[in-house]
Amino acid sequence: MDFVSCTQLPPSPLISFVTTLVVDNAKYWTEILTPAVSSEEAQRVQSQLGVKTIFIYPLISGREVLGILRFDLAKDEEDMDGHERMLLEGIADATAVALENSRMYSKLQDLDRLKDEFLSLAAHELRTPMTAIKGYSYELMKNPTLDPKGKEYIERVYKSTERLVNLVNDMLDVSRIESGRIDITLEKVDVGKIITDVITEFTGKAIEKQIQLNFTPLGQTTFSASADSAKLIQVLTNLIGNALKFTPNGGKVGVSVQPRSGFVEVSVMDTGVGIDKDDLARLFGKFVRTKTGSGIQGTGLGLYLSKKLVNLMGGDMWAKSDGAGHGSTFGFTLKSI
């Protein structure tokens, strides 16, 4: 079959005619282009192109006409066989489906944008009162006149509020990242020093759970990388915090750093609950809860944010585990300097 042209046109007065037919066909461009184009000009161009038959298909989704698809063929209609007609119909059907999918995708994007705007607004409105409640609860816990029962209740309020504040902060970070409003300031940082500082913050938690928390530099003593120090601290805090959270009392958590082909590679290993193979593939999605960690509280956003931040700093992040009960390893890279 010889195609001269194939055109998808927007809705026009012609649509009201072709929607009553499966397909319309014509011999001359004057039948479909006049009066927009003069008869003489339409005939002249058609003759130059060698167009002999014109097929017009309406592109319909449900009861709505999305447009029309026009085929200009350098062949007389009576010379076409059934397979060629079926091919034209198939192209028209596929085009209609593609157009409808494109429209639906656009609508979904708009809904996703509205959702992100709502989350951002809600997070901003919640953060101020939650921070105030957390602060007042902390001050009340230090009150020496508070009886044991009252102190227990205040501690519950403090911990619950802390989880809400973390969720709100994570929601704000997600909104900033997905809208392109997050600021990343790359500079030369000492990765080993930042790891040491973050581990120091978790020493008390590790002692409380009787977990061995160690840091091991491999291959050299100093590791310089291009990173945003505040964002790197956020990533390490999440990974080390998760390792301690998902490791039973008496376990081990190890952090290592080593050079790796122009990058600095950081790994956080634990002897915790591990990760099922099915969960590994979706681990860095939003609000993901793994089967092995379903009973442990968290926002479900930490790993998603951590990977996004590492990507924005020019690195990558991954996770490995041999399954439930075998611990896990989270690693990421940063460009070395």
Side-chain angles (χ1 to χ4, degrees):
M1 189 188 332
D2 298 318
F3 288 93
V4 173
S5 67
C6 172
T7 308
Q8 186 262 316
L9 300 174
S12 69
L14 179 63
I15 298 269
S16 60
F17 168 69
V18 299
T19 52
T20 62
L21 305 170
V22 175
V23 60
D24 189 31
N25 64 289
K27 279 283 187 181
Y28 304 108
W29 276 14
T30 53
E31 298 177 52
I32 56 176
L33 298 181
T34 304
V37 178
S38 68
S39 298
E40 294 77 10
E41 182 67 12
Q43 291 173 9
R44 184 183 66 80
V45 175
Q46 180 178 352
S47 176
Q48 288 179 344
L49 292 175
V51 174
K52 295 182 179 180
T53 304
I54 305 160
F55 280 85
I56 303 170
Y57 288 84
L59 303 176
I60 302 174
S61 174
R63 296 184 178 181
E64 186 176 0
V65 178
L66 306 178
I68 62 171
L69 191 63
R70 195 187 87 209
F71 295 94
D72 296 338
L73 300 133
K75 175 183 282 190
D76 288 321
E77 181 183 1
E78 54 269 21
D79 295 332
M80 294 178 62
D81 59 34
H83 293 294
E84 290 175 319
R85 288 179 178 272
M86 288 177 61
L87 175 61
L88 295 183
E89 292 174 7
I91 293 173
D93 289 341
T95 302
V97 171
L99 284 174
E100 178 61 14
N101 288 343
S102 175
R103 290 203 318 162
M104 293 302 297
Y105 179 71
S106 179
K107 290 179 181 178
L108 287 173
Q109 283 185 311
D110 290 339
L111 288 173
D112 193 52
R113 178 181 55 78
L114 290 173
K115 177 217 47 174
D116 288 339
E117 290 177 359
F118 169 76
L119 286 177
S120 178
L121 177 62
H124 275 293
E125 293 298 320
L126 285 170
R127 185 163 63 172
T128 299
M130 288 295 102
T131 302
I133 294 171
K134 180 182 175 183
Y136 289 135
S137 300
Y138 181 75
E139 292 300 320
L140 283 171
M141 284 192 300
K142 296 191 298 181
N143 188 341
T145 63
L146 196 65
D147 63 85
K149 201 66 177 177
K151 185 176 181 179
E152 179 187 345
Y153 291 154
I154 293 298
E155 285 178 348
R156 289 182 183 178
V157 171
Y158 177 82
K159 290 179 180 178
S160 295
T161 307
E162 187 175 39
R163 286 195 294 270
L164 282 173
V165 170
N166 290 337
L167 174 59
V168 166
N169 288 333
D170 285 348
M171 288 167 60
L172 283 172
D173 283 341
V174 168
S175 176
R176 292 190 187 104
I177 286 175
E178 295 188 342
S179 62
R181 292 183 291 109
I182 194 162
D183 295 323
I184 299 291
T185 304
L186 297 178
E187 57 184 350
K188 183 178 180 179
V189 301
D190 185 339
V191 178
K193 182 181 184 305
I194 291 180
I195 292 173
T196 300
D197 291 343
V198 174
I199 284 180
T200 300
E201 295 295 319
F202 284 103
T203 300
K205 183 68 173 177
I207 292 173
E208 179 186 331
K209 294 188 67 176
Q210 299 179 330
I211 290 175
Q212 295 181 36
L213 177 57
N214 300 310
F215 170 43
T216 308
L218 301 172
Q220 58 195 54
T221 56
T222 304
F223 299 86
S224 298
S226 173
D228 184 311
S229 56
K231 301 300 186 292
L232 178 55
I233 290 172
Q234 185 177 350
V235 170
L236 286 167
T237 298
N238 180 65
L239 294 184
I240 297 173
N242 277 354
L244 290 170
K245 184 192 303 182
F246 290 97
T247 299
N249 291 8
K252 297 179 181 179
V253 172
V255 184
S256 66
V257 58
Q258 60 184 319
R260 182 78 72 182
S261 303
F263 289 85
V264 173
E265 181 181 282
V266 179
S267 297
V268 180
M269 299 153 284
D270 64 64
T271 58
V273 297
I275 306 166
D276 284 348
K277 185 179 293 186
D278 293 341
D279 286 331
L280 279 172
R282 62 187 191 92
L283 196 60
F284 294 102
K286 285 187 287 189
F287 301 107
V288 170
R289 306 296 294 272
T290 63
K291 299 182 185 73
T292 52
S294 58
I296 301 175
Q297 293 178 330
T299 65
L301 292 170
L303 291 177
Y304 171 82
L305 285 170
S306 295
K307 185 175 176 65
K308 290 290 185 182
L309 290 174
V310 169
N311 291 158
L312 288 171
M313 290 188 285
D316 197 12
M317 179 176 286
W318 62 90
K320 295 186 294 183
S321 178
D322 290 330
H326 292 86
S328 57
T329 299
F330 287 83
F332 66 91
T333 55
L334 298 169
K335 291 181 180 179
S336 62
I337 296 179

